[in-house]
Amino acid sequence: MSQVKIYGIEDQLRPIRNRLSDVIHSCVVDALQFPADKRAHRFFYLHPDDFFMPEGRSSQYLIIELLMIEGRTVETRKNLIRLLFERISQQLGLSVVDIEICILESPAHNWGFRGKTGDEAAISYKIDV
């Protein structure tokens, strides 16, 4: 299971939303071996006054949070981060300085979907990659 939250300034994020979602999903499919039909993305559009950012960032600054059931190797998670930087910068023209990524993991028993906890639900893809 993986859910993605994307935060950015609305005027910058909304026009690239669909393309960014496609790029992020391609990275998740490739790095985590996710099925193509498992996409759960949420976009959070912020007003510039509500989005404090580190020095040296532009108005294109994004924060990407990936919430996942634990179990992926360190190398798999690092590969996902590398792919996100590479593909977002190449395909959308964003500077890697304007992209911040955080992977947050929790045990399967902390998740609930399809009426069951994550450790009881049948998942059609591998988590231990």
Side-chain angles (χ1 to χ4, degrees):
M1 190 69 180
S2 177
Q3 296 181 357
V4 182
K5 295 179 183 179
I6 303 102
Y7 302 85
I9 294 175
E10 182 172 16
D11 292 348
Q12 299 293 319
L13 185 55
R14 192 173 292 280
I16 64 168
R17 180 194 64 196
N18 291 350
R19 289 178 25 226
L20 180 58
S21 178
D22 289 344
V23 170
I24 292 170
H25 189 61
S26 77
C27 295
V28 168
V29 167
D30 291 348
L32 304 182
Q33 301 175 15
F34 252 50
D37 65 343
K38 296 287 183 193
R39 184 185 312 208
H41 296 179
R42 278 90 174 136
F43 286 82
F44 295 86
Y45 302 107
L46 301 169
H47 186 274
D49 291 343
D50 297 323
F51 197 25
F52 295 92
M53 58 188 75
E55 186 77 26
R57 302 317 187 270
S58 80
S59 62
Q60 293 182 309
Y61 177 68
L62 298 174
I63 297 175
I64 300 169
E65 292 180 354
L66 297 107
L67 309 168
M68 302 189 304
I69 291 175
E70 65 185 2
R72 279 89 181 180
T73 66
V74 169
E75 191 51 45
T76 295
R77 287 175 275 150
K78 288 174 79 170
N79 184 47
L80 174 58
I81 290 170
R82 284 195 277 291
L83 284 175
L84 287 163
F85 281 130
E86 178 183 299
R87 291 182 186 174
I88 292 170
S89 66
Q90 288 177 354
Q91 296 180 31
L92 295 171
L94 274 69
S95 167
V96 294
V97 173
D98 281 331
I99 304 165
E100 293 197 14
I101 302 162
C102 182
I103 296 174
L104 304 166
E105 295 183 305
S106 63
H109 61 265
N110 285 355
W111 288 73
F113 47 89
R114 296 190 303 272
K116 297 183 179 184
T117 60
D119 60 334
E120 297 171 340
I123 299 174
S124 62
Y125 51 91
K126 290 175 54 174
I127 291 180
D128 58 345
V129 296

